[in-house]
Amino acid sequence: MSIGTSRQLPPPAAAEPEEVVADGSARPRAAARVRVSRAVTGAAAVLVVAALLLPDRVEHLRPVAFARIPVEAIAGTALLLVLGPRARRVVAVLAGVALGLVTLLNVLDMGFRSVLVRPFDPVLDWILLDDAEAFLGDSIGSAGATAVVVGAGVLVVLLLVAMALSVVRLGHVVVRHSAVAAPATLLAGTVWVACAALGVQVSGAAVAARGAADVVSGRVQQVRAGIADREAFAEESAVDAFRATPGDRLLTGLRGKDVLFVFIESYGRSAVQDPEMAPGVGAVLADGTRRLGAAGFSSRSAFLTSPTYGGGSWLAHATFASGLRIDNQQRYRDLTSSDRLTLTSAFRKAGAWRTVGIMPGVTRAWPEGRFYGLDHVYDSRNLGYEGPKFSWTPVPDQFSLAAFERLEHGRPGRGPLMAEIILTSSHNPWAPVPTMLGWDRLGDGSVYESVKEAGEDPKEVWKDPARVRTEYRRSIEYSLTSLVSYVEKYGDDDTVVVFLGDHQPVPTVTRDRLGRDVPVTIVARDPAVLDRVAGWGWQEGLKPGPDAPVWPMDAFRDRFLTAYGPAGGPR
């Protein structure tokens, strides 16, 4: 090789495809990358601002809700501008995760307000998510429910990650463009203060928004209120007018009677007063009054105000039995771990009754049965039912009552009974609804297979609120008819029945009308039983009118024990 020669270099690589712009210059892929970067930044900004402005009520989910100025965005931008690189990243990640959690709480609030007419309690309400999963399983099938739960879990993780990455990205952007971001932030803050001071609104929504801050503040207050409520409940529950009453002084006016406390799931004032449902339910109650009257029974009715709405049946049951308002899970736990005398345990303390529970909705161990003073609890596993589930309802109401007759009430040589019976066929989703069968046809429940197949599909029913209300009405009519038929067939001179609803149904049915009241009725053949409550002013018949007396549900225990105690004779 000569000195004048050198190793030949490889030819230059082929140029990337070029994009020619208007001025004739060429930039390989750069313009596309810029557009993608700007799009990602824009999406991050939209996600963060939407999360900051997201309302906690479905009815407020309107475009105007997002046409406001979130103060958190202004304060967050100002903070990111003054922090160093490492601190800025840490703060951005934490702020993103926190904003994701706030968004999740708002979504949960929407759901809880739509069903239970109250916000989600982050301390006490996680247990209700199990019930929500069970409801989904009954409505759309177990596979669909599992898919929804898994999908929801994935979405929560994606939300937290996306929110954190979005805030980190926006932090980088505002620092990179601090010359513009700083004065813009100052201007936005000035506008926000002016709008807040002047009360500027758009379609009723304040332009100066602080939704996320209010959510955090509200949760802090909620926790403080929960602590204060627990202390208040301890003081309330310490007062019990019947704690020291000897057993032989309890319920003397009902000795020798079979006393049945029957809850009808979701049987609320709407069922007897809403113009869309009252005619059908009213006809069933009128017919029941006539039929029971022909069998020698009389009845008195009124209303009780439930502590819950749309769900949480156990809170209403505990309120009714304990004489204390049980409107949250913490109160329920404190109550059921105490030695409070309940209406049902009073019968056991009296020593003159066998006490039983018919709980078809219970599918596993229920230790609360001991607190309620029940000698024996029959749940869905030992009622002898081999038929199909009717959506959420494991056992149709008529079969539950027939099982009570077979297992307890109809046993020869038995003594007086006190029974708490839960009728669950009117539990949502209210489809399919069982139909009345001959009492001698029930067998082991297999006969219900064809009944279920002929019923409505809950997935289809819940697509139309009008159909939901129709099926709710039909389920209440079925539950009432089952109970009336049972008392008519198996009741006698010693039968006393107190039946009531536990809460109003969900707002899809009630349309947020007629409050939290539920009907309550006492039925007896012995005139002396109703004479003892003559001073209550309750109305005759199975259906309370609009002007019937209304009591808090927690007032019932004391008034009942007083009326049927030694000093509560006829008035």
Side-chain angles (χ1 to χ4, degrees), residues 385-397:
Y385 183 69
E386 300 296 335
K389 286 182 64 177
F390 282 76
S391 195
W392 182 88
T393 306
V395 184
D397 290 347

Side-chain angles (χ1 to χ4, degrees), residues 56-145:
D56 62 355
R57 300 171 186 264
V58 173
E59 60 269 25
H60 293 170
L61 199 60
R62 300 172 295 164
V64 67
F66 302 95
R68 301 179 297 150
I69 306 172
V71 69
E72 300 87 358
I74 300 170
T77 301
L79 179 61
L80 293 175
L81 282 169
V82 301
L83 290 175
R86 180 176 296 180
R88 182 169 60 250
R89 283 193 296 271
V90 172
V91 169
V93 170
L94 294 177
V97 172
L99 185 54
L101 293 174
V102 167
T103 304
L104 178 61
L105 287 174
N106 278 332
V107 171
L108 288 170
D109 275 353
M110 287 187 202
F112 270 67
R113 291 184 189 278
S114 298
V115 176
L116 302 178
V117 199
R118 64 173 178 83
F120 174 75
D121 188 321
V123 177
L124 302 176
D125 281 341
W126 295 107
I127 187 175
L128 299 182
L129 298 183
D130 288 339
D131 294 332
E133 182 182 359
F135 172 72
L136 281 174
D138 297 326
S139 301
I140 63 176
S142 58

Side-chain angles (χ1 to χ4, degrees), residues 134-142 389-393 427-433 451-465 467-469 471-472 474 508:
F135 172 72
L136 281 174
D138 297 326
S139 301
I140 63 176
S142 58
K389 286 182 64 177
F390 282 76
S391 195
W392 182 88
T393 306
H427 189 288
N428 66 359
W430 304 303
V433 179
V451 176
K452 179 181 179 179
E453 291 176 3
E456 297 283 351
D457 183 345
K459 294 188 292 294
E460 295 301 317
V461 167
W462 278 82
K463 294 178 181 178
D464 181 1
R467 291 185 67 185
V468 173
R469 287 190 285 274
E471 295 308 303
Y472 164 76
R474 292 184 61 239
T508 303

